[in-house]
Amino acid sequence: MSTEPRGWRKSSRSAQQTSCVEVGRVADGAAVRDTKDRAAGYFTATTGQWSAFVGAVKSGRFDG
């Protein structure tokens, strides 16, 4: 993926939390960055990778 992310938005799960992330769109998937340290950069995931991650979060796979 070589395009710059666009349409950054803060995660709805980050409201009033200290651990905030933003998600942006890239041509072939998604980009994620730390809201408080945007200069640190971002990582990207393909559409398939992002869908698998979101599905795992929604199913509670990463819950404590």
Side-chain angles (χ1 to χ4, degrees):
M1 289 180 259
S2 60
T3 60
E4 286 294 314
R6 64 189 187 288
W8 289 104
R9 62 184 176 87
K10 186 176 175 182
S11 168
S12 60
R13 300 280 185 176
S14 295
Q16 306 301 321
Q17 301 292 323
T18 58
S19 302
C20 303
V21 296
E22 294 177 322
V23 179
R25 293 183 181 161
V26 291
D28 197 26
V32 180
R33 69 182 177 189
D34 183 342
T35 300
K36 293 183 178 184
D37 191 8
R38 293 176 179 151
Y42 57 87
F43 70 88
T44 59
T46 65
T47 300
Q49 291 167 331
W50 186 248
S51 294
F53 172 71
V54 170
V57 170
K58 286 182 177 181
S59 73
R61 181 174 174 194
F62 305 113
D63 293 350

